[in-house]
């Protein structure tokens, strides 16, 4: 079953985050991921959006999503993101 990784990101270091954003798509694609949204253009309908970016990535299944997140290819990038931003990241199924 396909899953989504949904990230709400607050950027602390724009330059470092730009490097991350340039390199991350290659690692996502290597695990079958596809960006559905990757944008700072957030329109709030309810509540408060206290973050700078929203990212939604679809993976074929949870196994591949977690393999990407825990992969060697992504490990250094993840550390770079941790240094450059604060994020709230969840993985959710697309169907029930």
């Amino acid at each position: 079953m396909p899953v989504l990784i949904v990230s709400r990101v607050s950027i602390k270091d724009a330059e470092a985050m730009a490097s991350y954003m340039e390199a991350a798509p290659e690692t996502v694609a290597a695990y079958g991921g596809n960006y559905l949204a990757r944008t700072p253009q957030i329109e709030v309908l309810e509540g408060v959006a206290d973050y700078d970016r929203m990212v939604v990535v679809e993976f074929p299944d949870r196994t591949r999503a977690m393999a990407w997140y825990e992969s060697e290819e992504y490990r250094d990038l993840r550390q770079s993101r941790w240094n450059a931003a604060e994020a709230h990241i969840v993985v959710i199924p697309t169907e029930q």
Side-chain angles (χ1 to χ4, degrees):
M1 168 188 322
V3 300
L4 303 176
I5 290 187
V6 179
S7 306
R8 298 181 310 185
V9 183
S10 296
I11 298 170
K12 301 182 293 187
D13 181 339
E15 187 176 319
M17 195 62 184
S19 294
Y20 167 86
M21 291 186 298
E22 184 178 324
E26 185 177 330
T27 67
V28 167
Y31 287 84
N34 178 48
Y35 285 95
L36 300 180
R38 190 177 186 214
T39 184
Q41 297 174 350
I42 302 164
E43 181 179 356
V44 179
L45 300 179
E46 294 185 27
V48 177
D50 56 352
Y51 41 88
D52 304 309
R53 260 182 107 61
M54 188 76 145
V55 180
V56 180
V57 182
E58 182 179 41
F59 283 91
D61 53 49
R62 187 179 188 288
T63 300
R64 293 192 58 191
M66 297 309 297
W68 163 75
Y69 185 78
E70 297 169 351
S71 70
E72 241 180 87
E73 298 92 338
Y74 186 61
R75 185 173 296 126
D76 289 342
L77 284 173
R78 186 176 60 221
Q79 183 63 53
S80 163
R81 181 182 43 77
W82 287 343
N83 295 336
E86 292 181 13
H88 180 233
I89 301 172
V90 297
V91 59
I92 57 174
T94 59
E95 299 176 7
Q96 296 245 10

